[in-house]
Amino acid sequence: MSTREPALFASSRPFPHRWRLVGRRLHFTHRVIPPQLHLRDPLYAAILLFIASLQGAALWTADAFWQEKTGEWILAHGQVPHVDVFSGTARGTPWVVQEWLANTLLAALNHIDHILPFVLMTFVIDATCLLMYVRARSANANPQWALIVTAIAIIGFGSFFWMRMFWWSYLLLNLTLWLLEDYQRTPSLRILLLIPLMALWTNLHSGVILGILVIVMFWLTTHPRIAAAINQTGHLHAHALSKTAWSRLVLVGVLAIAATLATPNGIDQLAYSLLNGTDPDQINQIDEWLSPNFHNQQGARFGLFLAAMLALLFTRRHIPVEVALLLLGFGAMAFYELRNIPILVVALAPMVAATFADAPEQNQWIRTRALQVLPHIAWWRAGVALLCLALLSGTVWQTRQHYDTYGGENYYPMAAVDYLVEHRIPGQVFNDYVFGGYLIYKGIPPFVDGRSDLYVKTNVFRDYLDVSNGSVDPDPIFRKYHVTHVLIKPDSYLASELMQRGWTTLYSDGMAVILVPPTQRST
């Protein structure tokens, strides 16, 4: 029986000898490109990058200032600090710099050009988005379902596109899951990459604990006996490894977990990952530690993603056990703390898309006159060119937009801090929590900053909250820390309270106000 080539790929040009077309899939004879790669993958990847570039969030955050300054300190001293060297209230307190390598990279790029950190973080964000699509397609998932689910995921957590070191954990969590999923399908020596990956991760961010959790999860779900028991439930599906493959996975996993100790912080790195964020003051007072609010943009996007994933899962008869465990575990973390939403999205979305590997393709979606006239290799080249263009233009556009919008005086108290630097007011400043990072950046020891775990240890954070909320008389606490002036938001409760007590305004604008007590007016 003869077969005819689909009209979509009809061309009078000879097909290059290194490429061959089987059905609607492009194969490379030397196996450089995975055999399941589809001709439309570069085009779909470009679409996903375009969607990512439209997500509106503050790429630069207050923490990036003290992180950049930490990187400068490391480059200048040739070592990682183990005690606080920046604040005026916790100096000398033990400090776990759990993202020292990311901070050093941030400082080095910022030294070359102030826009380079934005470029790097945008590339990390784009790489994370693309890797979610690659994970879905690596499971031989239908490319259109991979596109749909990944697009929903990007929209679901697009409001978290911040200049935060968390992004290294999102990217490396994706890579870890990719290696584990690949080994689950076809055991190979590529799993050895898990060891250097975890060693790199532990020095970039404390989120390496997530990698340990997913390694343990794959140990359990791929064990022959456990997988057999799971498959008997009739609703969950587990892919069992052979005894030899499973033993190798355990060995590599043990070595990978041991590699997480290859950091200047040693075992303190993992302890920090487990204990940070357990203090009630952090959980109840800092926005990113709160539970999702479904009445704002972040909560609404998360709700959209979760509803879409659940709807897709209920259309499948057998749900992979890894999907169920991630949904329960990381889902509970996302509901508990807002900052964990991207963890659930990044881990879960590609797995949900992979459940549609056997879904029929809807070819009519892309059968247009414009696409029908493209020859085979022209389709591929056009897709790759569009992907490169989307990556370059999207990065430049998004970087420039965020740098102009959030790197100026409309977001941080630049003018007020310049006033402090110029007039050199003696004594300790009492500052708003979000102003602390910028004070460190300008060389002024803050009262508190984004390193809340550091101030929780010494009760400084509790004193800060009591004064800011008006629950105590501020004068005793100001005397305790030798506070001589305050730098706070002009519409805050404390600003109104101090003005009523006769404090004098030295400087004020729409972003910040500087106040001094009556005894310092002449000074």
Side-chain angles (χ1 to χ4, degrees):
M1 181 183 296
S2 62
T3 58
R4 296 181 59 187
E5 204 173 64
L8 177 63
F9 301 103
S11 172
S12 58
R13 297 174 56 185
F15 208 65
H17 68 90
R18 286 193 174 187
W19 303 85
R20 61 189 181 89
L21 192 67
V22 179
R24 292 185 178 277
R25 300 190 181 280
L26 189 67
H27 287 241
F28 191 58
T29 57
H30 297 288
R31 291 294 199 185
V32 175
I33 298 176
Q36 73 271 18
L37 193 65
H38 199 285
L39 285 167
R40 295 193 294 275
D41 282 325
L43 176 62
Y44 287 175
I47 293 173
L48 293 174
L49 284 182
F50 175 74
I51 295 173
S53 68
L54 296 179
Q55 307 309 305
L59 192 61
W60 190 267
T61 63
D63 283 352
F65 288 109
W66 66 258
Q67 289 166 346
E68 193 273 334
K69 207 66 177 179
T70 302
E72 286 185 6
W73 194 96
I74 294 172
L75 291 173
H77 294 82
Q79 61 179 337
V80 177
H82 294 283
V83 296
D84 173 47
V85 295
F86 294 126
S87 79
T89 55
R91 187 176 293 268
T93 302
W95 176 29
V96 178
V97 187
Q98 45 91 15
E99 48 202 15
W100 72 271
L101 183 58
N103 294 343
T104 305
L105 182 59
L106 177 66
L109 292 176
N110 192 60
H111 180 73
I112 299 173
D113 192 288
H114 293 317
I115 203 170
L116 288 182
F118 292 88
V119 175
L120 173 66
M121 197 53 59
T122 303
F123 268 110
V124 172
I125 291 172
D126 289 344
T128 303
C129 295
L130 289 180
L131 191 53
M132 285 192 292
Y133 179 78
V134 171
R135 279 180 54 208
R137 292 290 289 115
S138 295
N140 199 23
N142 180 296
Q144 292 161 0
W145 278 113
L147 172 67
I148 293 170
V149 175
T150 308
I152 294 173
I154 293 173
I155 296 172
F157 75 124
S159 57
F160 289 87
F161 286 5
W162 307 334
M163 173 67 80
R164 297 292 298 273
M165 301 304 108
F166 292 122
W167 274 102
W168 290 109
S169 282
Y170 304 151
L171 176 62
L172 296 175
L173 174 62
N174 241 329
L175 285 170
T176 301
L177 285 167
W178 189 20
L179 289 174
L180 290 169
E181 291 161 355
D182 177 71
Y183 187 83
Q184 186 182 35
R185 288 187 296 269
T186 309
S188 68
L189 293 179
R190 284 190 295 271
I191 194 64
L192 292 174
L193 295 174
L194 197 61
I195 300 173
L197 180 67
M198 295 293 281
L200 175 65
W201 193 349
T202 192
N203 290 287
L204 285 171
H205 193 258
S206 63
V208 68
I209 192 68
L210 300 172
I212 296 176
L213 290 176
V214 297
I215 288 175
V216 173
M217 181 187 72
F218 273 83
W219 282 350
L220 296 175
T221 60
T222 58
H223 187 277
R225 292 184 179 179
I226 296 178
I230 292 173
N231 290 330
Q232 291 178 358
T233 63
H235 299 287
L236 297 177
H237 171 71
H239 182 83
L241 294 174
S242 66
K243 291 183 178 180
T244 302
W246 186 82
S247 299
R248 290 173 180 171
L249 177 62
V250 172
L251 176 60
V252 172
V254 169
L255 294 176
I257 294 174
T260 62
L261 301 178
T263 169
N265 300 315
I267 193 65
D268 290 338
Q269 181 81 348
L270 297 182
Y272 177 91
S273 304
L274 293 172
L275 299 177
N276 185 34
T278 58
D279 185 86
D281 288 335
Q282 287 179 289
I283 297 173
N284 297 326
Q285 300 295 330
I286 301 176
D287 290 344
E288 64 180 323
W289 297 94
L290 298 176
S291 298
N293 179 1
F294 291 95
H295 293 281
N296 62 24
Q297 184 188 92
Q298 288 179 329
R301 288 186 176 204
F302 173 52
L304 171 65
F305 166 79
L306 198 59
M309 294 302 103
L310 291 175
L312 291 175
L313 284 176
F314 278 114
T315 65
R316 316 309 294 167
R317 182 176 179 182
H318 298 292
I319 299 176
V321 64
E322 294 88 0
V323 173
L325 291 176
L326 288 177
L327 184 60
L328 291 175
F330 288 173
M333 292 170 56
F335 275 102
Y336 187 64
E337 292 173 358
L338 181 72
R339 58 191 271 158
N340 292 329
I341 289 178
I343 295 174
L344 173 65
V345 174
V346 166
L348 183 64
M351 288 187 173
V352 173
T355 63
F356 287 85
D358 58 345
E361 295 186 17
Q362 303 298 319
N363 294 327
Q364 63 270 22
W365 289 10
I366 48 88
R367 280 193 175 183
T368 63
R369 291 182 179 275
L371 298 181
Q372 289 176 4
V373 299
L374 286 176
H376 309 148
I377 200 64
W379 173 279
W380 176 256
R381 288 173 178 170
V384 172
L386 185 59
L387 174 59
C388 295
L389 179 63
L391 182 62
L392 178 62
S393 61
T395 299
V396 172
W397 179 84
Q398 190 177 33
T399 299
R400 187 75 258 177
Q401 180 192 42
H402 291 312
Y403 183 80
D404 292 340
T405 305
Y406 299 104
E409 59 186 10
N410 293 328
Y411 202 69
Y412 300 106
M414 293 184 174
V417 174
D418 287 343
Y419 182 94
L420 290 178
V421 173
E422 179 182 355
H423 292 82
R424 298 182 181 180
I425 302 176
Q428 175 63 50
V429 62
F430 181 92
N431 59 276
D432 190 278
Y433 176 78
V434 297
F435 294 167
Y438 189 70
L439 285 171
I440 291 177
Y441 185 75
K442 299 295 287 187
I444 300 176
F447 190 92
V448 292
D449 57 76
R451 303 170 297 164
S452 58
D453 55 293
L454 185 67
Y455 299 101
V456 165
K457 300 175 184 177
T458 55
N459 291 323
V460 173
F461 195 66
R462 181 70 262 170
D463 291 336
Y464 164 78
L465 293 176
D466 289 340
V467 172
S468 299
N469 298 333
S471 57
V472 300
D473 183 357
D475 291 338
I477 293 180
F478 285 168
R479 288 193 296 269
K480 176 182 177 181
Y481 296 102
H482 309 289
V483 171
T484 58
H485 53 293
V486 300
L487 174 68
I488 51 180
K489 295 180 179 180
D491 57 351
S492 64
Y493 166 84
L494 183 59
S496 176
E497 174 67 19
L498 293 179
M499 289 179 184
Q500 291 181 6
R501 291 172 176 244
W503 283 52
T504 302
T505 302
L506 293 186
Y507 177 88
S508 180
D509 58 25
M511 181 59 60
V513 58
I514 302 175
L515 301 172
V516 296
T519 56
Q520 289 186 231
R521 289 179 179 175
S522 58
T523 305

